[in-house]
Amino acid sequence: MARNARLRPEDRTRLSSDGGRPTRAAPQRPSSLRLWLRRQRPMLRPALFGLAGLVAIGAGAVVVSALDPAGRFSFLAENVSEIAGNAGLTVTEIVVRGQQNTPRELIRAAIGVRNGDPLLAFSPSQAKARLESIAWIEQAEVQRNLSGHIQITIHERKPFAIWQHNGEFAVVDRDGRVVSADTLDAFGPLPLLVGDGAHRQGAALYDALKSEPEVQRRVQALVLIGERRWNLRLHNGTDVLLPEAHEDAAVKRLGELQRSSALMDRPVLAIDLRLPDRLVVRQQTMPEPAVADPRARRGSGRG
C-alpha cells in the first residue's frame, strides 16, 4: 500500500481502553438533518442566493440614503424599491392595534402604504413620525418584516374633560392637550373646564373633588377666574368661590358643611370659601310683592 494512500472511514482504527489493542471504529452515519439538506440542496441554493440579494439591496438603499442626505440619488432608491417589488417583495398585510378614538382615515393617511406596494418603499421611522403628529396618538410603534407584514401599535391619549374657551368646545387630556373638537358626546360625561388656561390646570382640582363625592356630583363646571383661582358652578346655579391656594382644603371644608347643614342644597347665590376662617353666603334676593296702583282701584270702583 502506498505511504500517502488515504484510509477510508471504515478502515480507520482507534485505541481501545484494554491495553492499546486497536479496534475497528464504528462508521459515522450522517444525521437526518444533513441527509435532508443534501436532498434539498438543489432547491435551497437559489432561495439562499435570492435572500442574500434582497438583503444586499436593502443594505445598499440604507447606505445610499446615509451617504446622500441631499437626495441626489433618491431615484436610485426608488428604482431599487421598484425592482424589489417586481421580485415579489411587497406589502401583504397591515395590522393596526390600539385604535379607539383616532379616525381611521387619519391613520391610513399617516401610514402612506397599501397592500401590494413595494415593501422597501415603506419607511417605518417616517410612518411613526406622521402617526405621532396626530393629536390623539401619544406614541406609535411601527414594525416591518420581509414577509410583507406591517404591524402598527398606537397608544392613544385618554379624553379627560371638555374645555370651553371663547365660545368654543374641545376635548382635552389630563395634560391639557386638545385631542378633538368633534363628537363631544361620544365620550360620555366629562368634566367641564371653563376659562383661559383651565385645560392645563383642571386635573389637580378634579382629583381633589374625587375625595368628596357629595361635592363632586353637584358640580357642573370648573371655572378658572383670571387664571388665578377657581369657582365651582353647581347644577342649581350656585357659585362656590375657592381660594387661590389650597383648593383641596377648601373642597374638604365644603364637604363637611354639606354633611352638617346641607349648605349646597339651599337656595343661595354664592358660597365664598376664600378665607379659611370665615364663611360668606350670599342669599338669593326675593322679588318684592307687586303693589297695585290705588288710583286704578278707585277708577275701577266708579265704573
Side-chain angles (χ1 to χ4, degrees), residues 49-112:
F49 282 137
L51 179 61
L54 291 177
V55 172
I57 290 174
V62 172
V63 171
V64 168
S65 177
L67 296 179
D68 181 36
R72 292 188 299 269
F73 300 105
S74 59
F75 68 95
L76 179 59
E78 295 175 359
N79 290 338
V80 168
S81 300
E82 183 177 356
I83 293 172
N86 293 335
L89 194 60
T90 60
V91 177
T92 59
E93 185 180 12
I94 302 174
V95 178
V96 179
R97 295 188 175 93
Q99 183 272 339
Q100 292 183 350
N101 298 313
T102 310
R104 294 184 179 274
E105 58 272 16
L106 293 181
I107 294 178
R108 286 194 294 265
I111 295 173

Side-chain angles (χ1 to χ4, degrees), residues 169-171 180-187:
F169 294 87
V171 178
S180 176
D182 302 319
T183 62
L184 301 182
D185 298 331
F187 311 108

Side-chain angles (χ1 to χ4, degrees), residues 80-203:
V80 168
S81 300
E82 183 177 356
I83 293 172
N86 293 335
L89 194 60
T90 60
V91 177
T92 59
E93 185 180 12
I94 302 174
V95 178
V96 179
R97 295 188 175 93
Q99 183 272 339
Q100 292 183 350
N101 298 313
T102 310
R104 294 184 179 274
E105 58 272 16
L106 293 181
I107 294 178
R108 286 194 294 265
I111 295 173
V113 71
R114 297 175 299 177
N115 287 347
D117 289 349
L119 184 64
L120 294 183
F122 172 74
S123 171
S125 60
Q126 294 179 6
K128 172 181 171 67
R130 290 193 297 266
L131 286 168
E132 292 179 350
S133 67
I134 300 175
W136 271 113
I137 299 178
E138 182 176 8
Q139 184 180 5
E141 302 169 5
V142 183
Q143 297 178 348
R144 175 191 66 182
N145 54 54
L146 291 178
S147 65
H149 292 186
I150 295 176
Q151 181 172 313
I152 297 173
T153 303
I154 61 177
H155 304 275
E156 293 183 334
R157 294 180 171 87
K158 296 181 179 180
F160 167 69
I162 296 177
W163 177 38
Q164 179 182 345
H165 175 66
N166 292 334
E168 301 292 334
F169 294 87
V171 178
V172 298
D173 66 358
R174 283 186 62 92
D175 296 330
R177 182 184 178 96
V178 175
V179 294
S180 176
D182 302 319
T183 62
L184 301 182
D185 298 331
F187 311 108
L190 296 175
L192 177 61
L193 309 176
V194 182
D196 293 341
H199 60 307
R200 293 188 299 268
Q201 304 180 38

Side-chain angles (χ1 to χ4, degrees), residues 4-15:
N4 296 329
R6 295 184 179 179
L7 294 177
R8 293 175 301 175
E10 57 270 20
D11 294 333
R12 295 175 183 171
T13 60
R14 59 181 174 83
L15 293 179

